[in-house]
Amino acid sequence: MKITCLIEYKIDPFKLSQFEKYAKNWGKIIPQCGGDLLGYFLPHEGTNDVAFGLITFSSLAEYEAYRERLCSDQAGKRNFLFANKERFIVSEKRSFIRVVEATYKQDVRVKK
């Protein structure tokens, strides 16, 4: 069973471009460290201070191994420092979720 780490960020809406740069950096770093990056999602309409990152792993043990690799990765360290210096992340929280297989990526075409 795969799990997805859902990271919910509360961000400074006046520093959206810095957060977007941070997210783009993870686009290269996360896969190199072993995460299956589904994507980062920025606010578009409505709430302007919430963003999301979704990363899938084969297990919680694989997530823990990934976190160790990420924390020792030089590009990862630079991205964490960038976030700390620029202070565009107000808070973040992680949830671990799993898909209900019968609902995932359903074919939307009407069957006759």
Side-chain angles (χ1 to χ4, degrees):
M1 172 183 65
K2 289 189 175 206
I3 60 159
T4 298
C5 178
L6 168 65
I7 309 168
E8 181 179 338
Y9 297 94
K10 184 168 181 81
I11 60 173
D12 180 336
F14 297 102
K15 296 182 177 183
L16 185 60
S17 62
Q18 287 103 323
F19 183 84
E20 187 168 1
K21 178 180 177 186
Y22 171 80
K24 286 179 180 178
N25 289 342
W26 287 132
K28 294 178 183 174
I29 301 165
I30 289 171
Q32 291 173 350
C33 290
D36 180 9
L37 179 62
L38 298 177
Y40 269 79
F41 300 84
L42 302 174
H44 179 68
E45 287 286 328
T47 304
N48 68 352
D49 65 347
V50 177
F52 298 93
L54 286 96
I55 312 162
T56 296
F57 302 92
S58 58
S59 66
L60 278 175
E62 183 54 38
Y63 168 77
E64 293 297 332
Y66 153 83
R67 288 291 296 174
E68 286 184 24
R69 289 188 295 272
L70 187 66
C71 290
S72 64
D73 181 83
Q74 292 304 310
K77 286 179 184 179
R78 283 192 300 275
N79 211 31
F80 284 128
L81 287 172
F82 170 61
N84 286 335
K85 180 181 177 218
E86 298 298 322
R87 304 182 62 88
F88 46 82
I89 298 173
V90 176
S91 66
E92 65 181 82
K93 58 184 172 180
R94 286 178 172 71
S95 298
F96 292 89
I97 57 177
R98 63 180 175 83
V99 70
V100 175
E101 291 293 335
T103 67
Y104 187 65
K105 291 188 172 183
Q106 292 301 302
D107 188 351
V108 295
R109 292 176 281 168
V110 176
K111 296 182 182 176
K112 295 180 182 181

